[in-house]
Amino acid sequence: SDLEILLKSLQGRIVLMDEMILNLFPSEEQYIMFPYLEKAVETLKEKNDWLMTLLLLMSHVIRLGGFQLEVNKCVICGKRNGIVAFSFTDGGFICKDCYDTEVDRDLNKSQMLLLREIVNCPDFSLIEKEYRIEDAKVLFEKFQHYIEEAFGYRFKNIRLLIE
């Protein structure tokens, strides 16, 4: 039935959130993520927007894991104007003066704007925002890769969630 499919889908997302907490943080630090995990599960139940919920949770995981992404100014020089690219390798926005053609342009403009909103969101209130699903899926994939590189952990069966 549709309800069974929905429940299995929800269960898969909760398992992923659980996996992030249990495997990315040492046991003595896992408690710092519990309020975010609890809010993510509540948000999933209320809004059923699994993609934005997971993006917000991943953003909190990155920040609380000590890997802050700079989304308010150029990560290299600090300029707030003329942002032309985002680089996960460099950890943030890059302005036109610092941009080098060898830098991977990881995201397009609409994806960079969505990323900025996600990273700057202190809770899960962004769940009300309308967004392009394609942009969110790109960010989900980029966040997954970034977390795997930064924390040295490979998620199991995460690809099934975005298909």
Side-chain angles (χ1 to χ4, degrees), residues 1 15 19 28-29 34 37 47 55-56 67-68 72 81 102-103 123-124 129 146-147 154 156 161:
S1 78
V15 167
E19 182 182 358
E28 64 275 6
E29 292 179 17
F34 288 148
L37 181 61
K47 303 295 181 187
L55 284 169
L56 290 164
F67 302 95
Q68 184 64 36
N72 296 308
N81 298 327
E102 292 182 19
V103 171
D123 49 29
F124 287 82
K129 177 180 176 42
Y146 184 78
I147 288 171
R154 299 277 178 254
K156 299 171 182 76
L161 293 178

Side-chain angles (χ1 to χ4, degrees), residues 27-40:
S27 57
E28 64 275 6
E29 292 179 17
Q30 291 173 358
Y31 74 94
I32 63 173
M33 281 303 301
F34 288 148
Y36 296 96
L37 181 61
E38 184 177 44
K39 186 62 180 166

Side-chain angles (χ1 to χ4, degrees), residues 69 75 86-92 94 102-104 106 145-146:
L69 297 173
V75 70
F86 181 87
S87 168
F88 277 95
T89 303
D90 293 310
I94 299 178
E102 292 182 19
V103 171
D104 290 334
D106 290 329
H145 182 71
Y146 184 78

Side-chain angles (χ1 to χ4, degrees), residues 117-161:
E117 290 185 82
I118 290 168
V119 171
N120 284 333
C121 187
D123 49 29
F124 287 82
S125 59
L126 198 61
I127 204 73
E128 302 293 334
K129 177 180 176 42
E130 287 188 34
Y131 60 90
R132 288 186 36 192
I133 194 87
E134 299 81 20
D135 289 343
K137 284 183 176 183
V138 167
L139 290 180
F140 183 83
E141 220 170 283
K142 297 289 185 180
F143 270 21
Q144 172 203 343
H145 182 71
Y146 184 78
I147 288 171
E148 287 178 348
E149 292 297 314
F151 289 84
Y153 177 79
R154 299 277 178 254
F155 291 106
K156 299 171 182 76
N157 302 320
I158 198 167
R159 308 283 308 153
L160 300 174
L161 293 178

Side-chain angles (χ1 to χ4, degrees), residues 6-18 20 35-58 123-128 131 140 161:
L6 178 65
L7 288 174
K8 283 184 180 183
S9 175
L10 185 61
Q11 182 182 15
R13 278 126 181 117
I14 292 172
V15 167
L16 173 64
M17 292 188 296
D18 220 23
M20 275 195 278
Y36 296 96
L37 181 61
E38 184 177 44
K39 186 62 180 166
V41 171
E42 283 176 28
T43 302
L44 266 179
K45 287 193 302 191
E46 291 171 15
K47 303 295 181 187
N48 195 28
D49 184 347
W50 68 268
L51 188 52
M52 183 58 75
T53 302
L54 285 175
L55 284 169
L56 290 164
L57 184 65
M58 290 169 124
D123 49 29
F124 287 82
S125 59
L126 198 61
I127 204 73
E128 302 293 334
Y131 60 90
F140 183 83
L161 293 178

